[in-house]
């Protein structure tokens, strides 16, 4: 074969190149087809996961939205640069620009004190901080919008976000406090206000809100100091004035209450326990309460009782009595118990008043039950009231003094007639009520089946309860000849018993020793039983 | 012969004057903007599919569209920002073309040019759109701020207003660094620093500036290409700015007519095309000099320009190529429009070998 001429060679080369190019193009087009399919999928994916505004929060603020000053400066510079152009009458222009600038400067000063401070951000960090502050303000505005609409949850969320972005802004915690106040979340609101005040100690609104929160928390003294602070800052603030008046009233009321309760031996604690007792909620008839307080001030009680009595209709009384009769049948452990309680309720009473008036007419049960029908709280208030408004009532009450005395004693008895506790909470509540009244506790405790101890004390058996039980045994079980051996025995089965016993004081042990001595003397139980029990009590 | 080939893939004749075409990011679709003979605006979306062009969506608006950009939109939304003959800048959601999601009458006269940054993951910082208009002003918009531009660059009182033909964002490599470059009909090129709100640099290239583009928007300014009337284009090395001499540059003649556009290849910043008034498309490669910086007599750093070499020259039309756009997703895929009312999708092969 002859060697191809240079011309032919070139042709061949060209042909080869064209082929190559064609192949390249074909490859490219094939690739393009594949890509079209792929990108379609990507496109669809993007479309489907739309409306994600995640990036938005990370964006820097709108340029020059912080201060218009920059904008002006730029215009001026531009002027300067254009000044080189021949067409301009420079002197004329400079003058006009000078004028222009002064106006702007004035405007800037007027518009915002802030703008002057954040002129240029030297570093990225400063810039970022500024951005966050901006974002925080936006969150605050959003929160305010929600707040206006009454959507406090969302408002709180916005304020929280804002506070995270800019922890130095006192408006955010203060506004959140307002929203929290609206939701009656006083404790958190108080905390937020304190935060706001730590950031800006002259922020009157924060004082106002903290005051309101503290009223909600019944921290009247502190609330008052907050409002006084407001008055220092803004002597004309009406809200602060009216709130201080309100607090003063509340304080006066509180003083009254605490005064009355302080004269009472068992004070406020008892009142509270009563109002909380689950027995109250259950609406069963025989749950009774604040006998003790009433016991203190005879006249008051009498008047209160007389008042209630007077309002009871005969029919009602009858119904209540029937009720209580059936109930006592159910609640009493045995017929013997009923009989006993009937007798003992009346006769065994260390209260002098009752001793002085030993023969309680059966009818007294009536009024006792009637008393129960009225809500405890209001009853207590009525007592306080009758105390405050003095003379006229007293005259009336004296006439009914005899009956009221009876009812009063009856009242004191009533807890004993209350039902057996069904759970530890109930027991705790009633124990708190009764622990100072050994007699009452005796009646109450006696009624609890020994097998229930485990369930009732469970987690709650503490030294306090145990000691009271021992005292009760010593002071009531023994004199009454009651059998307490099984009681002692079952107590040892309660889970935390050994722990409590371990930490018994000498005094308690002394009591226990006396009890065991008596048990020993009674001779009702074998030596072995007693000594094994003794061991359990670590004696 | 072993060099990239610019090959016409698909072409389509349109019934309106077409000014701009832009690929929709993350898709095989592009949007075409133009002007119907009756003066209304044309907006069409085409999809490239197996050697064919399918019209996906179209809308006719009251005012003719001159230019558009996706530069300030995020990838999920892919909203198009447009400038129209009436001086209005609008942002469109293709899912709901009835009304723009943002609209502002920003200029008194036609918006000639538009550019965006901060979206699509390109460029740090806020999404911003810049528009240049015949009224002589250049305005920067933030889609989050209604009605008012965030920055305005305009001639002072008593000055002649020059027609702004080209704008470009650049230097957006941190959230607050950002530059806008504007080219005017008298050959002025001005570089505005948006961070300091000052004019950073200006020059005059004697002929009206038709096209401007940084090789990348989201890096510390590297190169700027400006195309002009009278078949010249200039490449500025914007890395090193001399206090008096400014940026070093080279000038190249091409196309034997107005050079309408310059577009850098998204996959290689040293490769770009220029589009000529005679319907030609040239592919260029920029070669950096050995040292990009030297010291002048005073010991101040001054840049050294590199060189450009033409890689390919193709005639696509008899009329000026009004716009050109590289697909950001597929290397070598591009779309261009020309004043013969034609839409062309081209492929450029072997770009890797450049």
């Amino acid at each position: 074969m002859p060697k191809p001429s240079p011309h032919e060679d070139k042709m061949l080369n060209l042909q080869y190149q064209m082929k190559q190019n064609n192949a390249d193009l074909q490859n490219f087009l094939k690739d393009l087809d594949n890509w079209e399919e792929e990108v379609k999928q990507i496109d669809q994916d993007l479309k489907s996961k739309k409306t994600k505004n995640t990036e938005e929060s990370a964006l820097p603020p709108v340029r020059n939205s912080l201060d218009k000053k920059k904008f002006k400066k730029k215009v001026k510079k531009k002027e300067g640069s254009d000044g080189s152009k021949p067409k301009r009458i420079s002197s004329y222009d400079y003058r006009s620009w000078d004028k222009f600038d002064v106006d702007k400067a004035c405007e800037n000063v007027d518009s915002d004190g802030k703008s002057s401070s954040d002129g240029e951000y030297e570093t990225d960090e400063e810039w970022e901080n500024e951005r966050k502050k901006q974002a925080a303000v936006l969150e605050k505005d959003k929160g305010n919008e929600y707040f206006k609409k009454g959507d406090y949850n969302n408002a709180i969320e916005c304020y929280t976000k804002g506070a995270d972005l800019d922890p130095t802004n006192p408006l955010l915690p203060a506004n959140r406090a307002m929203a929290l106040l609206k939701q009656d979340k006083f404790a958190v609101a108080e905390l937020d206000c304190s935060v706001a005040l730590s950031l800006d100690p002259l922020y009157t609104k924060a004082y106002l809100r903290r005051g309101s929160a503290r009223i909600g928390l019944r921290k009247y003294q502190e609330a008052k100091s907050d409002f006084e602070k407001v008055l220092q800052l803004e002597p004309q603030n009406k809200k602060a004035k009216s709130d201080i008046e309100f607090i003063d009233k509340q304080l006066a009321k509180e003083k009254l209450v605490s005064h009355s309760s302080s004269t009472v031996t068992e004070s406020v604690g008892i009142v509270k326990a009563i109002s909380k007792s689950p027995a109250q909620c259950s609406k069963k008839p025989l749950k009774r309460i604040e006998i003790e307080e009433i016991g203190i001030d005879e006249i008051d009680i009498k008047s209160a009782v007389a008042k209630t009595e007077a309002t009871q209709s005969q029919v009602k009384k009858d119904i209540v009595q029937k009720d209580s009769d059936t109930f006592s049948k159910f609640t009493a452990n045995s017929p013997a118990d009923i009989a006993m309680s009937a007798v003992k309720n009346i006769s065994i009473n260390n209260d002098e008043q009752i001793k002085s008036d030993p023969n309680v007419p059966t009818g007294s049960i009536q009024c006792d039950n009637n008393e129960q029908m009225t809500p405890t709280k209001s009853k207590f208030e009525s007592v306080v009231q009758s105390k405050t408004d003095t003379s006229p009532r007293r005259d009336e009450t004296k006439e009914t003094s005899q009956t009221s005395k009876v009812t009063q004693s009856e009242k004191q008895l009533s807890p004993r007639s209350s039902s057996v506790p069904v759970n530890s909470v109930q027991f705790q509540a009633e124990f708190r009520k009764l622990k100072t009244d050994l007699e009452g506790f005796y009646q109450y405790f006696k009624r609890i089946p020994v097998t229930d101890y485990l369930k009732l004390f469970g987690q709650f058996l503490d030294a306090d309860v145990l000691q009271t039980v021992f005292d009760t045994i010593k002071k009531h079980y023994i004199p009454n000849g009651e059998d307490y051996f099984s009681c002692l025995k079952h107590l040892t089965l309660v889970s935390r018993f050994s722990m409590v016993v371990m930490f018994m004081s000498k005094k308690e042990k002394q009591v226990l020793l006396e009890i065991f001595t008596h048990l020993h003397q009674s001779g009702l139980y074998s030596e072995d039983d007693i000594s094994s029990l003794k061991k359990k009590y670590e004696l | 012969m072993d060099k990239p080939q610019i090959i016409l893939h698909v072409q389509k004749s349109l019934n309106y004057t077409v000014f701009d075409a832009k690929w929709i990011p993350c898709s095989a679709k592009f949007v075409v903007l133009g002007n119907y003979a009756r003066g209304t605006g044309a907006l069409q979306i085409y999809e490239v599919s197996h050697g064919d062009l399918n019209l996906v969506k179209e809308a006719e608006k009251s005012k003719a569209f001159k230019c558009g950009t996706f530069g300030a939109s995020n990838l999920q939304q892919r909203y198009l920002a447009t400038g129209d003959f009436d001086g209005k800048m609008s942002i469109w959601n293709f899912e709901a073309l009835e009304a723009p999601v943002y609209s502002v009458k920003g200029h008194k006269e036609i918006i000639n040019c538009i550019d965006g940054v901060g979206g699509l993951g390109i460029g740090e910082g806020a999404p911003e759109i810049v528009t240049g208009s015949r009224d002589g002003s250049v305005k920067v918009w933030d889609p989050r701020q209604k009605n008012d531009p965030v920055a305005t660059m305009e001639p002072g009182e008593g000055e002649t207003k020059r027609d702004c033909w080209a704008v470009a964002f650049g230097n957006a490599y941190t959230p607050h660094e950002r530059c806008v470059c504007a080219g005017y009909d008298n050959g002025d090129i001005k570089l505005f620093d948006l961070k300091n709100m000052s004019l950073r640099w200006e020059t005059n290239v004697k002929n009206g500036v038709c096209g401007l583009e940084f090789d990348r928007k989201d890096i510390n300014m590297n190169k700027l290409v400006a195309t002009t009337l009278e078949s010249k284009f200039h490449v500025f090395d914007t890395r090193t700015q001399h206090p008096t001499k400014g940026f070093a540059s080279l000038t190249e003649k091409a196309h034997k007519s107005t050079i309408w556009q310059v577009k850098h290849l998204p996959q290689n910043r040293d490769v770009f095309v220029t589009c000529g008034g005679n319907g030609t498309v040239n592919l260029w490669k920029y070669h950096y000099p050995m040292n990009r910086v030297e010291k002048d007599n005073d010991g101040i750093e001054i840049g050294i320009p590199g060189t450009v070499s033409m890689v390919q020259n193709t005639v696509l039309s008899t009329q000026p190529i009004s716009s050109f756009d590289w697909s950001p997703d597929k290397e070598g895929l591009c779309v261009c429009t020309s004043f013969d009312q034609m839409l062309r999708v081209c492929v450029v092969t072997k770009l890797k070998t450049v």
Side-chain angles (χ1 to χ4, degrees):
Chain A
M1 206 176 158
K3 213 182 161 206
S5 68
H7 182 68
E8 281 174 325
D9 198 26
K10 206 179 167 190
M11 281 296 287
L12 279 174
N13 205 4
L14 201 66
Q15 262 183 353
Y16 172 75
Q17 283 291 341
M18 282 174 75
K19 232 182 241 171
Q20 276 292 97
N21 281 341
N22 215 16
D24 278 340
L25 180 61
Q26 289 313 315
N27 279 343
F28 189 97
L29 292 180
K30 215 165 132 192
D31 199 30
L32 189 65
D33 281 350
N34 291 338
W35 172 79
E36 280 165 12
E37 296 305 317
E38 277 169 38
V39 84
K40 227 177 238 181
Q41 190 57 46
I42 297 171
D43 191 17
Q44 284 305 318
D45 289 351
L46 274 176
K47 267 183 194 163
S48 58
K49 68 173 176 185
K50 235 180 216 178
T51 65
K52 255 171 107 188
N53 292 335
T54 46
E55 293 301 310
E56 203 137 303
S57 57
L59 288 176
V62 174
R63 190 181 298 279
N64 299 328
S65 59
L66 296 181
D67 53 346
K68 291 288 174 197
K69 184 178 103 193
K70 280 175 145 192
F71 175 53
K72 267 85 211 191
K73 190 165 59 185
K74 174 212 67 219
V75 170
K76 186 178 114 196
K77 283 230 175 126
K78 167 84 164 89
E79 273 328 295
S81 68
D82 286 348
S84 58
K85 286 182 187 166
K87 280 193 179 175
R88 220 180 68 177
I89 308 159
S90 62
S91 61
Y92 168 80
D93 257 78
Y94 279 126
R95 213 174 295 154
S96 72
W97 278 112
D98 280 348
K99 220 181 190 176
F100 175 76
D101 247 5
V102 169
D103 288 344
K104 293 306 162 189
C106 292
E107 223 178 88
N108 272 333
V109 171
D110 290 345
S111 65
D112 200 354
K114 216 180 170 184
S115 63
S116 58
S117 66
D118 59 19
E120 310 291 278
Y121 325 114
E122 294 300 329
T123 64
D124 286 14
E125 226 168 272
E126 282 173 42
W127 201 84
E128 179 64 10
N129 282 342
E130 200 56 38
R131 184 188 73 73
K132 278 188 175 168
K133 276 182 190 171
Q134 277 275 314
V137 171
L138 287 180
E139 284 295 340
K140 191 200 78 188
D141 293 344
K142 237 195 311 181
N144 289 351
E145 281 301 307
Y146 280 125
F147 187 88
K148 270 181 214 156
K149 284 184 216 155
D151 187 350
Y152 302 123
N153 283 329
N154 274 327
I156 289 169
E157 207 163 281
C158 286
Y159 294 139
T160 309
K161 268 189 217 158
D164 288 345
L165 283 167
D166 182 10
T168 61
N169 189 342
L171 291 175
L172 289 157
N175 284 9
R176 187 168 62 183
M178 192 64 213
L180 288 165
L181 273 181
K182 292 276 182 193
Q183 296 190 323
D184 287 351
K185 292 174 181 166
F186 299 118
V188 210
E190 184 195 9
L191 196 73
D192 269 342
C193 290
S194 300
V195 170
L197 289 172
S198 69
L199 294 169
D200 179 6
L202 298 177
Y203 191 16
T204 37
K205 272 186 191 170
Y207 281 114
L208 277 175
R209 286 169 195 169
R210 188 165 71 176
S212 308
R214 283 174 169 173
I215 289 180
L217 292 167
R218 296 173 189 276
K219 294 180 180 174
Y220 292 121
Q221 288 298 350
E222 286 157 299
K224 196 176 173 186
S225 73
D226 276 341
F227 288 121
E228 276 161 359
K229 189 88 190 177
V230 172
L231 285 184
Q232 276 178 24
L233 294 166
E234 272 178 36
Q236 298 308 314
N237 194 308
K238 278 180 191 163
K239 162 110 173 94
K241 279 180 187 166
S242 67
D243 274 333
I244 286 181
E245 271 172 39
F246 173 78
I247 289 171
D248 285 341
K249 266 184 210 162
Q250 288 296 321
L251 281 175
K253 222 187 248 178
E254 218 170 55
K255 224 184 220 169
L256 244 178
V257 171
S258 64
H259 176 70
S260 71
S261 53
S262 68
T263 54
V264 179
T265 39
E266 346 317 335
S267 80
V268 200
I270 282 163
V271 176
K272 273 188 186 158
I274 285 162
S275 66
K276 275 181 197 163
S277 123
Q280 277 285 321
C281 312
S282 77
K283 304 218 165 123
K284 280 183 189 168
L286 278 178
K287 303 281 129 89
R288 275 295 339 295
I289 344 100
E290 58 279 287
I291 305 93
E292 273 85 5
E293 299 101 79
I294 296 163
I296 323 122
D297 201 323
E298 260 190 69
I299 300 165
D300 292 340
I301 294 150
K302 279 179 210 157
S303 69
V305 169
K307 226 160 81 179
T308 24
E309 259 185 317
T311 56
Q312 303 289 345
S313 73
Q314 187 54 45
V315 183
K316 202 173 177 187
K317 284 178 190 174
D318 287 347
I319 294 167
V320 172
Q321 166 149 29
K322 235 184 243 167
D323 246 314
S324 73
D325 284 348
T326 35
F327 185 74
S328 62
K329 263 182 216 158
F330 280 116
T331 48
N333 284 340
S334 64
D337 258 0
I338 298 172
M340 195 154 39
S341 62
V343 179
K344 285 196 180 131
N345 282 355
I346 297 154
S347 59
I348 313 159
N349 203 318
N350 49 1
D351 199 304
E352 291 158 87
Q353 281 177 340
I354 292 171
K355 271 181 189 158
S356 71
D357 191 19
N359 297 314
V360 179
T362 43
S364 67
I365 288 167
Q366 244 178 4
C367 22
D368 177 32
N369 288 321
N370 291 342
E371 280 286 326
Q372 279 172 252
M373 305 297 278
T374 65
T376 37
K377 213 171 174 186
S378 70
K379 212 195 306 180
F380 177 68
E381 273 166 10
S382 77
V383 170
V384 175
Q385 229 172 26
S386 64
K387 194 171 178 181
T388 46
D389 71 64
T390 44
S391 50
R393 261 285 155 223
R394 274 185 199 186
D395 301 334
E396 287 174 38
T397 51
K398 262 177 197 161
E399 294 162 22
T400 57
S401 71
Q402 184 59 28
T403 31
S404 60
K405 241 186 204 168
V406 171
T407 44
Q408 182 196 344
S409 66
E410 192 48 37
K411 273 184 211 154
Q412 280 178 322
L413 291 177
S414 63
R416 283 157 231 162
S417 59
S418 71
S419 66
V420 176
V422 292
N423 55 38
S424 52
V425 179
Q426 192 184 347
F427 173 80
Q428 280 297 310
E430 279 158 0
F431 170 74
R432 274 200 297 276
K433 244 181 287 171
L434 290 166
K435 66 180 171 187
T436 46
D437 173 18
L438 273 190
E439 165 68 15
F441 184 71
Y442 164 58
Q443 295 296 338
Y444 173 75
F445 191 69
K446 201 169 59 168
R447 203 164 293 207
I448 301 172
V450 288
T451 46
D452 278 2
Y453 290 167
L454 196 57
K455 178 179 73 180
L456 284 184
F457 298 134
Q459 299 304 311
F460 292 102
L461 183 63
D462 52 26
D464 208 12
V465 175
L466 207 56
Q467 195 194 338
T468 315
V469 172
F470 294 154
D471 287 345
T472 315
I473 289 173
K474 186 183 158 197
K475 296 216 175 98
H476 295 289
Y477 275 80
I478 295 175
N480 287 318
E482 286 282 331
D483 176 23
Y484 50 86
F485 180 78
S486 60
C487 157
L488 282 177
K489 201 172 163 190
H490 278 88
L491 273 178
T492 64
L493 300 175
V494 176
S495 57
R496 283 179 60 191
F497 171 79
S498 55
M499 180 79 82
V500 178
V501 166
M502 214 184 293
F503 294 106
M504 273 196 306
S505 67
K506 230 177 195 172
K507 198 179 135 206
E508 288 164 36
K509 285 202 170 157
Q510 187 58 42
V511 175
L512 206 50
L513 266 178
E514 281 173 38
I515 293 171
F516 272 101
T517 319
H518 178 264
L519 197 62
H520 201 65
Q521 284 165 357
S522 70
L524 285 170
Y525 299 94
S526 72
E527 286 288 323
D528 292 347
D529 286 347
I530 295 174
S531 59
S532 72
L533 192 61
K534 234 177 166 176
K535 225 176 254 167
K536 279 182 186 155
Y537 280 90
E538 300 191 354
L539 288 173
Chain B
M1 287 290 283
D2 195 24
K3 57 183 183 182
Q5 305 291 314
I6 302 172
I7 295 150
L8 180 63
H9 182 46
V10 204
Q11 64 178 350
K12 192 174 178 69
S13 180
L14 303 170
N15 62 348
Y16 55 90
T17 308
V18 53
F19 289 112
D20 205 358
K22 286 278 186 294
W23 288 97
I24 299 173
C26 285
S27 76
K29 289 179 274 192
F30 57 87
V31 59
V32 187
L33 300 170
N35 175 22
Y36 286 111
R38 52 186 169 274
T40 53
L43 190 159
Q44 290 188 317
I45 299 170
Y46 287 96
E47 182 164 33
V48 182
S49 177
H50 307 289
D52 211 358
L53 276 182
N54 300 330
L55 180 63
V56 178
K57 206 171 262 188
E58 68 176 325
E60 189 176 349
K61 298 293 165 190
S62 61
K63 287 287 178 288
F65 292 113
K66 179 66 175 65
C67 48
T69 180
F70 287 98
S73 172
N74 68 37
L75 272 180
Q76 260 102 46
Q77 295 174 324
R78 289 175 288 177
Y79 291 167
L80 176 74
T82 59
D84 68 18
F85 275 44
D86 207 24
K88 208 185 241 177
M89 196 279 280
S90 310
I91 299 178
W92 303 91
N93 176 6
F94 292 143
E95 305 299 316
L97 275 173
E98 302 77 44
V101 292
Y102 178 101
S103 182
V104 61
K105 174 98 167 68
H107 295 275
K108 292 185 200 79
E109 289 179 80
I110 180 176
I111 295 177
N112 286 316
C113 46
I114 193 166
D115 195 20
V117 73
L120 309 175
I122 298 172
E124 295 279 333
E128 280 178 341
I129 295 160
V130 61
T131 53
S133 162
R134 187 177 289 163
D135 68 8
S137 62
V138 172
K139 294 185 178 177
V140 181
W141 309 90
D142 189 314
R144 295 170 297 175
Q145 178 173 303
K146 301 274 176 218
N147 303 326
D148 292 314
V150 294
T152 307
M153 281 72 73
E154 55 192 348
E157 271 173 64
E159 271 184 65
T160 320
K161 292 182 164 68
R162 306 309 318 210
D163 195 344
C164 178
W165 282 351
V167 287
F169 271 119
N171 210 28
Y173 66 99
T174 69
H176 52 292
E177 281 287 354
R178 192 165 288 185
C179 283
V180 168
C181 194
Y184 298 86
D185 65 343
N186 60 351
D188 276 351
I189 298 175
K190 292 175 195 283
L191 183 66
F192 304 102
D193 187 331
L194 287 180
K195 182 195 175 196
N196 300 324
M197 284 297 166
S198 63
L199 181 77
R200 177 159 170 184
W201 168 76
E202 66 176 333
T203 189
N204 186 289
V205 292
K206 297 194 181 71
N207 295 311
V209 180
C210 306
L212 269 179
E213 195 181 56
F214 284 96
D215 57 351
R216 287 287 179 273
K217 292 172 187 171
D218 56 343
I219 59 169
N220 191 359
M221 286 194 296
N222 187 42
K223 295 198 310 286
L224 172 71
V225 179
T227 63
T228 66
L229 305 174
E230 311 283 338
S231 57
K232 266 192 224 153
F233 72 88
H234 306 262
V235 183
F236 298 91
D237 184 327
T238 48
R239 246 329 134 70
T240 317
Q241 185 177 7
H242 187 274
T244 53
K245 290 176 181 150
F247 298 117
S249 70
L250 67 86
T251 306
E252 186 74 30
K253 272 187 97 99
H255 297 289
K256 296 193 181 101
S257 68
T258 300
I259 307 179
W260 282 77
Q261 283 274 323
V262 53
K263 291 287 168 178
H264 287 84
L265 182 67
Q267 291 81 13
N268 183 352
R269 69 185 187 198
D270 298 325
V271 175
F272 58 92
V273 293
T274 53
C275 310
N278 57 356
T280 53
V281 171
N282 288 0
L283 188 67
W284 301 87
K285 162 90 175 164
Y286 182 85
H287 305 279
Y288 293 99
M290 287 296 284
N291 290 309
R292 292 184 68 181
V293 181
E294 64 179 0
K295 299 257 164 100
D296 68 359
N297 298 335
D298 302 326
I300 302 168
E301 286 191 334
I302 185 166
I304 304 173
T307 54
V308 286
S309 60
M310 193 197 284
V311 181
Q312 188 58 271
N313 177 9
T314 308
V315 180
L316 289 175
S317 168
T318 55
Q319 295 296 311
I321 309 285
S322 56
S323 78
F324 185 98
D325 195 40
W326 293 104
S327 165
D329 303 293
K330 177 69 186 163
E331 184 176 292
L333 186 62
C334 53
V335 61
C336 61
T337 61
S338 54
F339 285 143
D340 53 3
Q341 301 203 343
M342 288 291 272
L343 175 66
R344 293 181 177 86
V345 176
C346 301
V347 295
V348 181
T349 58
K350 287 187 279 194
L351 275 170
K352 291 262 195 296
T353 64
V354 177

